[in-house]
Amino acid sequence: MEKFIIEGGNSLNGTVEISGAKNAALPVLIATILAPGVHTIRNVPNLRDTRTTKKLLEIIGAKVTFENNIMQIDTTNCDNPVAPYDLVKTMRASFYVLGPLLGRYGTATVSLPGGCAWGPRPVDIHLSAMEALGAKVDLASGNIVATVDKLVGTEFEMRFPSVGATGNMLMAAVLAEGTTIIKNAAKEPEISCLVDFLNETGAKISGKGTAELTIEGVNELHPVDFSIIPDRIEAGTFLIAAAITQGEITLKNVEPDHLGKVLEILEQVGAEIQIRQNEIRLKQENRPKSINAVAEVYPGFPTDLQPQLIALLSVAKGNSRVIDTVYNDRFKHVPELVRLGAKIAMDDNMAVISGVKQLAGGPVMCPDIRAGAALVLAALVAEGTSVVDRIYHIDRGYENFEENLTNLGGTIRRSD
Ligand code: UD1
């Protein structure tokens, strides 16, 4: 298994180009199934998860090429409506095929994802959304088997504004008969990107960026040339990397509007921030200040940056509290950070962090993508050498991570 060997102590300075957003790319790539023909999707990050999605599309019957961050997908013959366990277990987002397969073929067999590194992560909202549109949903040999003659529009209120279930329902509803209204829908920019993609293919969705999406079903969709939005989580990770090492960084190709709460929190921590169109500059001159923060659904502070924020606050002056309201049990990074000298106590879904002046390098293990990124950030500021194991998690979500960090002045290398 590959590891990162990191020598801590350098501050990070320089410029990073931000990639396309993984969590926007995955549903858009999968949504191409709905519109037969050849699609060109640009600004697709070259990551393990996008390569897994390519495999998934190929299993379903699409012809796919992926070069220079452009995925060309021919969905003319997608005649195998199946997402097998081997792929779903490595990438939960494979579950996104349920809606489009039902929409185009009226049948889908999708392996049930099961739990993930930080908890059970159910899919009940996805399934009740498909049932509300008229599908029959059964469980057979660990697979969800869904069938329908014709999906029919409906009004559906999500019990929680799930990103995945909103995307799945959107993709199912665009070809349904009549009008669908999704209430308490997710407002994340990745969902708005999916709405833009679907509307360009000929779908009729209104209410983008709000908690109520209205979809008027259409008979068919057509292929398009489309570009993925910048990755706000990758951007936030690099901003926190500069803040934790008291450096100065410029991010290019970002969408500052998607990072409002993140920039607000980083300013509270003491960072100086300047915004210019698609650029963000951050400078952190002193030890971070302690703060209280809550990870919430968009436009709140993202749960996908909660681990990196806890890493930052572990070297802050004073005591901080971080609550996660999206995932109650997403704190597998905490015991690993404690191994590097952080002082963190858990109280249910709240981390209570007593900032220390200095972390000390050591061996740690990535529990998942973002927790892995948080450990790398902590190792970059810790004294001495850290070995960060199981970095295949990080490879799911960060393109050229160690090259980017090296260019900024970090000492990090990959080893077998
Ligand atoms: C997406 C992101 C993930 C991010 C999360 C929250 C992708 C590929 N992944 O995941 O990085 O952390 O949004 O911003 O885009 N829930 C249920 N039942 C369901 C669905 C969700 O109880 O059927 C719960 C989850 O357990 C969780 C909460 O709802 O507590 C939010 O999950 P959701 O928004 O669905 O996350 P994902 O779409 O899986």
Side-chain angles (χ1 to χ4, degrees):
M1 250 186 259
E2 290 187 325
K3 310 169 185 358
F4 282 144
I5 318 287
I6 299 173
E7 297 293 333
N10 301 353
S11 64
L12 299 189
N13 294 290
T15 300
V16 187
E17 301 258 344
I18 296 304
S19 309
K22 168 180 92 72
N23 288 349
L26 303 181
V28 165
L29 297 174
I30 288 172
T32 61
I33 296 171
L34 286 160
V38 182
H39 297 257
T40 302
I41 312 296
R42 302 176 191 275
N43 204 28
V44 177
N46 186 358
L47 302 168
R48 249 187 63 197
D49 275 12
T50 47
R51 294 191 294 269
T52 302
T53 305
K54 176 176 181 280
K55 263 188 230 157
L56 180 60
L57 290 166
E58 285 168 342
I59 286 174
I60 290 170
K63 292 203 175 79
V64 191
T65 60
F66 189 20
E67 273 168 24
N68 301 323
N69 298 108
I70 299 174
M71 214 181 268
Q72 206 152 52
I73 310 168
D74 181 352
T75 54
T76 310
N77 296 310
C78 287
D79 47 11
N80 182 38
V82 171
Y85 181 55
D86 276 357
L87 292 189
V88 181
K89 77 173 184 215
T90 58
M91 188 185 74
R92 289 177 56 85
S94 311
F95 207 71
Y96 267 133
V97 298
L98 183 63
L101 288 178
L102 266 179
R104 182 162 163 196
Y105 294 101
T107 174
T109 301
V110 182
S111 173
L112 198 57
C116 84
W118 70 74
R121 290 186 80 180
V123 288
D124 58 301
I125 307 175
H126 298 244
L127 301 184
S128 38
M130 298 306 139
E131 283 173 337
L133 288 166
K136 184 171 169 289
V137 176
D138 293 308
L139 180 69
S141 314
N143 295 317
I144 293 296
V145 182
T147 47
V148 70
D149 282 339
K150 177 79 188 151
L151 293 171
V152 178
T154 185
E155 189 173 310
F156 182 78
E157 175 150 0
M158 305 245 162
R159 71 167 169 78
F160 184 91
S162 155
V163 175
T166 301
N168 235 333
M169 189 163 194
L170 270 175
M171 291 190 274
V174 284
L175 290 178
E177 206 175 281
T179 303
T180 300
I181 299 174
I182 310 178
K183 293 192 163 176
N184 199 24
K187 294 181 284 197
E188 270 67 5
E190 292 75 18
I191 291 294
S192 297
C193 180
L194 177 63
V195 169
D196 284 340
F197 169 79
L198 290 169
N199 279 344
E200 282 196 29
T201 65
K204 288 194 177 148
I205 306 170
S206 56
K208 185 179 87 170
T210 75
E212 185 168 309
L213 296 168
T214 303
I215 308 113
E216 277 177 53
V218 296
N219 287 332
E220 57 177 22
L221 302 171
H222 54 80
V224 290
D225 187 321
F226 185 81
S227 190
I228 300 295
I229 56 169
D231 196 316
R232 65 192 171 107
I233 305 301
E234 185 195 21
T237 302
F238 279 105
L239 291 173
I240 296 175
I244 200 172
T245 61
Q246 294 180 34
E248 187 171 348
I249 199 171
T250 303
L251 304 185
K252 294 204 182 251
N253 302 335
V254 275
E255 180 44 82
D257 284 352
H258 295 169
L259 284 151
K261 192 69 191 181
V262 175
L263 299 180
E264 192 185 310
I265 294 268
L266 287 171
E267 275 177 339
Q268 284 173 23
V269 166
E272 245 175 69
I273 293 172
Q274 284 170 2
I275 296 171
R276 216 175 38 194
Q277 288 172 342
N278 294 113
E279 261 183 49
I280 300 176
R281 223 169 122 191
L282 176 144
K283 186 170 163 188
Q284 176 91 28
E285 284 188 312
N286 299 308
R287 195 174 154 196
K289 292 179 201 161
S290 54
I291 54 155
N292 295 331
V294 182
E296 291 169 297
V297 296
Y298 190 80
F301 187 86
T303 173
D304 283 354
L305 288 173
Q306 174 262 100
Q308 300 88 318
L309 180 66
I310 290 185
L312 173 65
L313 296 175
S314 70
V315 293
K317 236 185 206 171
N319 299 333
S320 304
R321 286 160 195 261
V322 176
I323 297 175
D324 196 323
T325 61
V326 180
Y327 295 107
N328 287 333
D329 40 12
R330 185 183 196 171
F331 291 99
K332 290 279 191 311
H333 41 288
V334 165
E336 298 296 315
L337 289 169
V338 167
R339 304 195 71 249
L340 299 180
K343 290 206 170 122
I344 309 170
M346 288 308 305
D347 179 0
D348 197 16
N349 65 337
M350 178 168 72
V352 181
I353 308 142
S354 312
V356 296
K357 238 185 175 163
Q358 182 69 60
L359 297 173
V364 286
M365 207 155 65
C366 300
D368 63 76
I369 312 180
R370 310 303 170 186
L375 294 173
V376 168
L377 303 195
L380 284 167
V381 76
E383 195 173 1
T385 309
S386 295
V387 179
V388 181
D389 206 344
R390 300 204 178 172
I391 56 170
Y392 60 87
H393 286 295
I394 297 177
D395 292 337
R396 290 186 50 202
Y398 293 89
E399 189 171 7
N400 303 329
F401 198 40
E402 70 266 34
E403 285 88 343
N404 280 331
L405 289 170
T406 303
N407 289 341
L408 292 170
T411 307
I412 173 168
R413 72 182 166 85
R414 191 178 281 259
S415 144
D416 279 335

